[in-house]
Amino acid sequence: HLRSLPAWQEMCLKSPVNEQSLCQTGLSFANYALPSLTRTNGEIVPSSFTFDGTGSESVPHETTVRLLQQHDLVQFLMPNGFDSKNYSTTFVRTVFRFKRLWCCRTDSSTKIREASGMHRAEWSTFVQETVIPTLQAAARGNVDGQPWPLQLYFDGDSVASTEVMDTLQGDLRLACGSVLFVFAYLIFHTRSVLLGFVGLVLITLSVPLSYVAFAVITGSRELHIASFLSLFLIVGLGSDVVFVYNDFWNESATLGKSQTGRLAWTMQHAGKASLATSATTAVSFFANLASVLKPLRDFGFFMGLCVMLVWILLSSLFL
């Protein structure tokens, strides 16, 4: 089904002629198990075989495995630990390859970058719009409304990154829902749309500011995918600081102090309480710096910065 799609055929035709068989028929166990036969002059005995998987009669499995061994394809098409003696397996692999030639050695570096960017964008679009939707439908057991009898797993260039980005987009939509809920509760708790809005803006502002601080301190501008969890975490942690300041400010009204006195009293008591909780939370994240895993160290350091910056922003601007 996938190979019959117009986008697949168009992409395959852009490969060199001698490489097109790798994207038209690919490499698979079925190609060698169901070869097409070529007969000349009405002869019964075929004169040649073409291993394209379009034959009507299968060859013995023993012969298929020997052919794979002869062409050094067992390691690519059969699972790890495959026993070639009893020919027993529960799954096999199929491999497709697209090859593109877009520059020459004599081309300028500018031309090479432009050509590389154009072809990478074309490949990314092909994977996102054609390959992954079809494979995901087959993995769910349904292709064009028809049941798919096989359990499918797939991987390839740009496949993992595309699936990660799709998952992130879904998570970001969930994050937007959680942010809206927190915003509504901030308004309810503070009894003010302005305070709720400003508090939420300051909380979310801590994420990009933490990224800037992270880049300056570490000299790296790359963060692991786990760092996207910071938006979920910091909205909850930052809202707690807002609630502490709001409650202490309301309590200060019963002390008979002036506005300046109320502000000083709130900063002294609420600032101390929220700093203690924020500092201990940040330290728990900073403890990940002792990990041998770089993604975990980066995530812990980034989240620790977020927690401290959200306290600084709320203490200096929100209050």
Side-chain angles (χ1 to χ4, degrees), residues 91-314:
F91 65 92
V92 293
R93 298 188 185 97
T94 298
V95 181
F96 294 97
R97 187 178 76 171
F98 295 83
K99 187 174 181 179
R100 300 289 293 275
L101 302 176
W102 62 68
C103 63
C104 300
R105 183 181 300 179
T106 57
D107 292 338
S108 64
S109 58
T110 301
K111 184 177 180 180
I112 293 175
R113 284 195 301 269
E114 292 177 352
S116 176
M118 180 184 67
H119 289 290
R120 289 181 185 277
E122 183 182 7
W123 173 258
S124 179
T125 301
F126 170 66
V127 170
Q128 292 177 15
E129 298 181 359
T130 302
V131 177
I132 288 184
T134 305
L135 293 178
Q136 287 179 338
R140 291 191 296 268
N142 187 291
V143 178
D144 290 343
Q146 300 297 323
W148 182 258
L150 303 178
Q151 190 171 9
L152 179 67
Y153 303 93
F154 56 90
D155 194 9
D157 292 340
S158 302
V159 171
S161 60
T162 300
E163 289 190 305
V164 168
M165 292 307 299
D166 290 342
T167 303
L168 278 179
Q169 290 178 1
D171 290 345
L172 287 176
R173 287 191 289 269
L174 294 176
C176 291
S178 65
V179 168
L180 290 176
F181 173 79
V182 171
F183 178 54
Y185 191 78
L186 283 172
I187 295 175
F188 171 79
H189 191 87
T190 61
R191 301 294 192 272
S192 171
V193 175
L194 179 61
L195 290 178
F197 177 76
V198 172
L200 187 60
V201 168
L202 293 176
I203 292 170
T204 55
L205 187 61
S206 66
V207 176
L209 290 178
S210 296
Y211 173 74
V212 173
F214 176 87
V216 171
I217 296 173
T218 64
S220 173
R221 293 183 294 178
E222 295 183 358
L223 283 173
H224 193 262
I225 197 69
S227 298
F228 283 91
L229 293 172
S230 60
L231 183 59
F232 292 93
L233 297 173
I234 204 61
V235 167
L237 296 172
S239 298
D240 181 63
V241 179
V242 172
F243 297 150
V244 171
Y245 276 122
N246 182 77
D247 291 345
F248 271 86
W249 172 259
N250 292 335
E251 184 179 350
S252 68
T254 63
L255 302 178
K257 296 178 177 292
S258 63
Q259 292 289 334
T260 303
R262 291 180 61 190
L263 182 62
W265 185 87
T266 301
M267 188 63 195
Q268 178 183 357
H269 293 81
K272 184 189 300 182
S274 59
L275 176 60
T277 57
S278 297
T280 53
T281 303
V283 169
S284 67
F285 281 115
F286 286 142
N288 290 300
L289 290 172
S291 173
V292 297
L293 302 176
K294 185 178 184 300
L296 187 57
R297 293 199 306 270
D298 291 347
F299 173 72
F301 185 55
F302 180 73
M303 273 304 306
L305 291 175
C306 286
V307 172
M308 292 312 302
L309 278 176
V310 78
W311 181 84
I312 293 172
L313 289 172
L314 291 174

Side-chain angles (χ1 to χ4, degrees), residues 39-45:
R39 295 182 174 89
T40 58
N41 301 325
E43 296 181 356
I44 298 178
V45 178

